Amino acid sequence: MPGIRAQRRTTHRARRRAARRHGLLAVASAVVAIGATAGLIEAGQDDRRRTTAVPEPTPPPVLQPLPAVPTPRVPSPTATPTPAPASPSPSPRASRTSAAPTATAAATPAPAPPPGNGLFRDPGSQVLQWVRANPDDPRRPLIESRIGAQPAAVWFAQYNPGRVAGEVRAVTRDAAAAGRTPVLVPYAIPDRDCGGASQGGAPDIAAYDAWIREFAQGLGAAPAIVILEPDAIALADCLTAEGRTARFAALARAGSTLRAANPKARVYFDGGHSGWHPPAKQAAALRAAGAATSGDGIFTNVANFRPTADERTYARQVLAALGGPSGLGAVIDTSRNGNGAPAPGQWCDPEGRALGQPPTTRTGERLIDAYLWVKLPGESDGCTAAPGAFSPEYAHGLATG
């Protein structure tokens, strides 16, 4: 939407100007602090931007921060997903409120669509942890049936060498035992989120290369879907030209490493979304990052709200501009785009949003490989709860939106 895009450009431009002023003052003091500190995602630190990048005449819009880091998954006694009811019915069209519904209204929720075509539902997800811990909450039946019953991505957002292979292996083994395909999100690229709310990642490119090799060791041999580093390409304009080149080379190596470790793994590269970069610009960046040679396609709309129809059109345009090979496809995050984009500026747990198309690998659409829930519905952007924490209020709003 033009209004959203213009506001994000204005915000991004103001932050760049502030960062440059800070850099000049620092030079006068002979102490220059460059870059953001690597580590875990922390909210409320948008001012820690790089000061070495040269501003462009028209800075690209900034996607809302990705408060994507879930709390550590808790293994369930069983990895076998519980099937959802087989007779789907539409969600009630109620306005989101901050008050919990009455026990009577929430006790008989409409059933959710069945889980999508062999995709893995992580028994250790935050939503299922909340469901198990709150059996008497009147919101529980609806949240469990509409969100908890659906398969969703598992994020690996900590730079944790020595442990990540085991964590990935735990998920892929559970998925293989259940006969389902996991969706895995490695999220540890250096300078992640350009020092914004989702800052963190590996301390440098060499450390990231080693981390992704460990990640690949946990992939196993069964089918898997890998969503490689959300925002890493679409948000790369915040880096210097040298920084972009290094990042894109690292992403190309990562794609090759993941596919070599498990030929049945499909690796998708960051395509941004339909309200961000023009298709030709995004395709050029994807090509530079090795998406055409080291990946199986692109992903769009992660943590965003763009309508599915817009994303299908955009994904096809990007793939056409990318120019092949012919086997490349796209996956679209539909986790909370049921009502489309919110009003300009309302990116943080915005009211009136809704769950989108349930996850499935049977889209019936040319070049669209899957609709996935990559951003986990109910995990906060930082307003109804801490960034990345599960918010039953927000989850219930999405389930009834």
Side-chain angles (χ1 to χ4, degrees), residues 271-298:
H273 63 73
S274 59
W276 203 345
H277 298 303
K281 177 178 180 178
Q282 191 65 28
L286 284 159
R287 190 179 303 108
T293 54
S294 300
D296 297 281
I298 66 172

Side-chain angles (χ1 to χ4, degrees), residues 61-251:
V62 178
L63 185 66
Q64 71 269 14
L66 274 174
V69 179
T71 55
R73 67 188 298 268
V74 177
S76 174
T78 175
T80 303
T82 302
S87 301
S89 62
S91 303
R93 311 300 295 177
S95 298
R96 178 183 169 198
T97 64
S98 58
T102 63
T104 301
T108 56
N117 313 116
L119 294 170
F120 179 61
R121 187 190 72 165
D122 179 18
S125 67
Q126 287 197 85
V127 61
L128 291 181
Q129 292 179 45
W130 182 87
V131 164
R132 289 190 289 267
N134 296 273
D136 299 323
D137 192 299
R139 298 166 293 187
R140 181 198 57 79
L142 192 65
I143 290 173
E144 182 177 20
S145 64
R146 295 271 173 78
I147 298 176
Q150 294 291 353
V154 182
W155 288 70
F156 300 86
Q158 294 186 11
Y159 172 66
N160 53 352
R163 299 195 305 274
V164 65
E167 292 178 1
V168 175
R169 189 175 296 113
V171 175
T172 56
R173 282 179 175 172
D174 283 355
R180 296 189 179 274
T181 300
V183 178
L184 312 170
V185 186
Y187 189 56
I189 198 77
D191 291 317
R192 183 177 66 199
D193 195 36
C194 298
S198 295
Q199 66 176 294
D204 53 47
I205 292 295
Y208 179 74
D209 286 344
W211 185 86
I212 207 72
R213 287 194 295 269
E214 288 189 41
F215 184 101
Q217 291 171 12
L219 283 178
I225 295 171
V226 180
I227 305 299
L228 181 61
E229 298 293 342
D231 275 359
I233 297 175
L235 197 57
D237 283 349
C238 74
L239 303 174
T240 64
E242 181 182 2
R244 283 194 298 273
T245 298
R247 173 178 288 188
F248 289 171
L251 290 171

Side-chain angles (χ1 to χ4, degrees), residues 51 60 65 188 203 374:
T51 60
V374 182

Side-chain angles (χ1 to χ4, degrees), residues 351-375:
E351 294 193 358
R353 300 312 94 205
L355 302 173
Q357 163 75 42
T360 182
T361 56
R362 298 177 184 173
T363 69
E365 294 283 347
R366 183 180 62 88
L367 300 180
I368 308 302
D369 294 345
Y371 301 128
L372 304 175
W373 284 8
V374 182
K375 167 70 178 180

